């Protein structure tokens, strides 16, 4: 019993001993931290750090020909939904009327029952014959009446005496009969629907045995021989052209960069697009290559006027804020806000800065650049 009591008395003593030792260790660590300075060894030296290296391109003022580009949609010159001009039952649907077919101008598409129109032509021909017969009689009556007055040696008192009014009525009757015959022949001709121009049948609306009326859709035909493009240019770009631009040849390239031939400017300017407020330029492609398809977007490059005192730089030289950085003769950075004239093939052309040049321009400016900062320029040659 005495041993257990002694052991119980010694346990609190050990606990307090450990607590005391921990406090002493903690105080020692705190004193050590306060005495230790959080510094870095700095060695004094008389050599200053080198300025950062900057890759530069050296440019001089030059005269260039502006080249203005824009994207434009390729549209067929002729694109129509062919509709029936007459009424009747469709008796034949020719192979050219099937969707996806390429047809030539004049190719047969549909045949509409034409018996009523043949009858109308025959009736109109008979009516014309009767009118011409009446005209011959009227002409004969006029001739007989004039000779009678000549034999009598007197002047006819009026036109009615020599049957001139009847002659004029007969002449107009013949003209009206001829017009009705022409209309009947046109209706008969319209019963055979043919392609008004060469192209692709993109959709068919009518079927064999269907009865159609004037105005009912038959097929949709899209031209594949002649295309046109409408390109929009800002007013600043419009000022870069030599006016008038009608007849100017423009280069066409695909979005992949592939060359697709040329187009010719039909007309440009005169009004602004109501939605974009851009100047519209209309171009024609008379002989499109296989790479030009309706509905595609192509890049149109139109040559402009010659501009003096310009500098052409790579796109990488322009910062997001729209500045370029010049390196002066003392290797100090100078910030410059350029007047961009046009862009072409990964480069942009600006009006040359003040002075005679040449100028050294940073090819890939950094966000850390500051005006007046000293740098070590490294030219393209090394």
């Amino acid at each position: 019993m005495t041993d257990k009591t002694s052991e119980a008395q010694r346990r609190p003593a050990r606990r307090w001993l450990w607590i005391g030792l921990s406090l002493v260790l903690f105080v020692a660590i705190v004193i050590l931290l306060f005495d230790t300075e959080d510094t870095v060894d700095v060695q004094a030296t008389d050599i200053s750090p080198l300025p950062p290296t900057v890759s530069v391109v050296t440019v001089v003022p030059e005269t260039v020909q502006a080249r203005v580009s824009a994207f434009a949609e390729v549209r067929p010159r002729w694109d129509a939904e062919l509709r029936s001009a007459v009424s009747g039952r469709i008796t034949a649907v020719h192979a050219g009327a099937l969707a996806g077919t390429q047809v030539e101008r004049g190719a047969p598409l549909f045949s509409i029952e034409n018996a009523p129109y043949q009858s109308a032509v025959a009736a109109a021909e008979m009516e014309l014959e009767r009118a011409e017969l009446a005209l011959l009689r009227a002409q004969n009556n006029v001739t007989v009446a004039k000779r009678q007055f000549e034999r009598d040696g007197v002047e006819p008192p009026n036109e009615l005496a020599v049957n001139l009014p009847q002659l004029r009525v007969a002449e107009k009757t013949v003209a009206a009969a001829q017009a009705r015959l022409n209309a009947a022949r046109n209706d008969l001709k319209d019963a055979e629907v043919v392609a008004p121009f060469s192209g692709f049948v993109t959709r068919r609306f009518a079927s064999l045995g269907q009865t159609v009326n004037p105005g009912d859709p038959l097929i949709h035909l899209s031209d594949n021989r002649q295309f046109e493009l409408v390109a929009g240019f800002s007013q600043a770009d419009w000022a870069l052209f030599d006016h008038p631009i009608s007849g100017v040849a423009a280069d066409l390239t695909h979005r992949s960069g592939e060359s697709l031939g040329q187009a010719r400017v039909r007309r440009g300017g005169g009004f602004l697009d109501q939605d974009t407020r851009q100047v519209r330029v209309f171009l024609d492609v008379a002989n499109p290559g296989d790479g030009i398809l309706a509905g595609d977007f192509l890049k149109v490059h139109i040559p402009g006027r010659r501009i003096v005192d310009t500098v052409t730089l790579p796109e990488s030289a322009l910062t997001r804020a729209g500045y370029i950085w010049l390196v002066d003769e003392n290797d100090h950075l100078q910030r410059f806000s350029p007047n961009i004239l046009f862009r072409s093939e990964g480069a942009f052309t600006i009006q040359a800065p003040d002075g005679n040049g040449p100028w050294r321009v940073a090819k890939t400016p950094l966000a850390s650049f500051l005006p007046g900062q000293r740098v070590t320029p490294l030219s393209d040659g090394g």
Side-chain angles (χ1 to χ4, degrees), residues 67 71 251-262 289-292 296-301 345:
R67 183 176 170 87
F71 279 100
D251 295 327
L252 302 178
T253 58
H254 196 261
R255 286 167 293 178
S256 62
E258 177 188 1
S259 177
L260 296 177
Q262 289 187 327
D290 295 336
I292 300 180
D296 199 1
F297 278 90
L298 303 182
K299 199 168 188 179
V300 180
H301 309 272
E345 305 299 333

Side-chain angles (χ1 to χ4, degrees), residues 26-342:
F26 174 74
V27 172
I29 293 173
V30 170
I31 293 173
L32 180 63
L33 290 176
F34 273 106
D35 289 341
T36 303
E37 294 182 353
D38 187 14
T39 59
V40 178
D41 292 336
V42 178
Q43 296 180 356
T45 178
D46 295 333
I47 302 175
S48 60
L50 293 176
T53 301
V54 175
S55 179
V56 298
V57 56
T58 303
V59 292
V60 295
E62 57 183 349
T63 299
V64 298
Q65 184 176 24
R67 183 176 170 87
V68 188
S69 304
F71 279 100
E73 181 184 3
V74 180
R75 301 175 183 175
R77 170 172 286 187
W78 311 119
D79 189 73
E81 187 177 87
L82 303 186
R83 297 174 178 267
S84 176
V86 296
S87 60
R89 181 172 55 86
I90 296 177
T91 58
V93 177
H94 300 283
L98 302 180
T101 304
Q102 181 179 358
V103 296
E104 298 293 329
R105 180 179 179 181
L109 302 175
F110 294 90
S111 294
I112 300 176
E113 188 176 14
N114 61 4
Y117 305 108
Q118 290 179 337
S119 175
V121 169
E125 290 175 341
M126 182 179 295
E127 183 181 356
L128 178 60
E129 291 286 346
R130 290 174 179 172
E132 290 175 342
L133 177 59
L135 175 61
L136 290 175
R137 289 174 178 172
Q139 291 172 340
N140 183 67
N141 292 338
V142 170
T143 301
V144 171
K146 286 183 177 180
R147 289 178 179 176
Q148 182 65 42
F149 279 103
E150 290 175 356
R151 286 195 298 268
D152 295 342
V154 297
E155 292 292 329
N158 51 44
E159 292 183 346
L160 187 60
V162 291
N163 299 311
L164 288 179
Q166 292 89 333
L167 177 61
R168 287 195 291 267
V169 170
E171 290 174 342
K172 292 182 178 181
T173 301
V174 170
Q178 183 65 59
R180 284 191 287 271
L181 176 58
N182 292 339
R185 287 174 175 171
N186 286 337
D187 287 343
L188 179 60
K189 182 180 178 181
D190 289 338
E192 293 294 327
V193 182
V194 298
F197 52 86
S198 300
F200 282 98
V201 177
T202 60
R203 189 176 179 185
R204 178 174 57 86
F205 302 100
S207 299
L208 182 66
Q210 180 179 341
T211 299
V212 294
N213 295 308
D216 288 348
L218 299 176
I219 64 167
H220 186 274
L221 185 63
S222 184
D223 187 7
N224 69 327
R225 297 288 178 85
Q226 300 180 89
F227 292 121
E228 61 182 15
L229 301 96
V230 182
F233 296 93
S234 67
Q235 297 186 51
D237 288 342
W238 179 250
L240 295 175
F241 293 126
D242 265 331
H243 299 286
I245 65 172
S246 299
V248 174
D251 295 327
L252 302 178
T253 58
H254 196 261
R255 286 167 293 178
S256 62
E258 177 188 1
S259 177
L260 296 177
Q262 289 187 327
R264 192 160 297 275
V265 177
R266 183 174 76 246
R267 180 177 174 79
F271 63 94
L272 297 178
D273 186 274
Q274 293 183 355
D275 297 326
T276 63
R277 299 302 173 187
Q278 291 185 323
V279 181
R280 305 179 74 186
V281 175
F282 301 87
L283 305 99
D284 291 331
V285 185
N287 298 303
D290 295 336
I292 300 180
L293 300 175
D296 199 1
F297 278 90
L298 303 182
K299 199 168 188 179
V300 180
H301 309 272
I302 303 179
R305 58 184 175 86
R306 297 184 66 82
I307 308 174
V308 299
D309 293 332
T310 66
V311 169
T312 300
L313 299 170
E315 285 284 357
S316 61
L318 188 67
T319 66
R320 292 184 178 180
Y323 296 106
I324 63 174
W325 288 90
L326 306 177
V327 181
D328 63 17
E329 62 276 8
N330 297 320
D331 295 342
H332 291 161
L333 290 174
Q334 301 294 332
R335 192 171 65 179
F336 176 69
S337 179
N339 174 25
I340 299 178
L341 300 176
F342 61 92

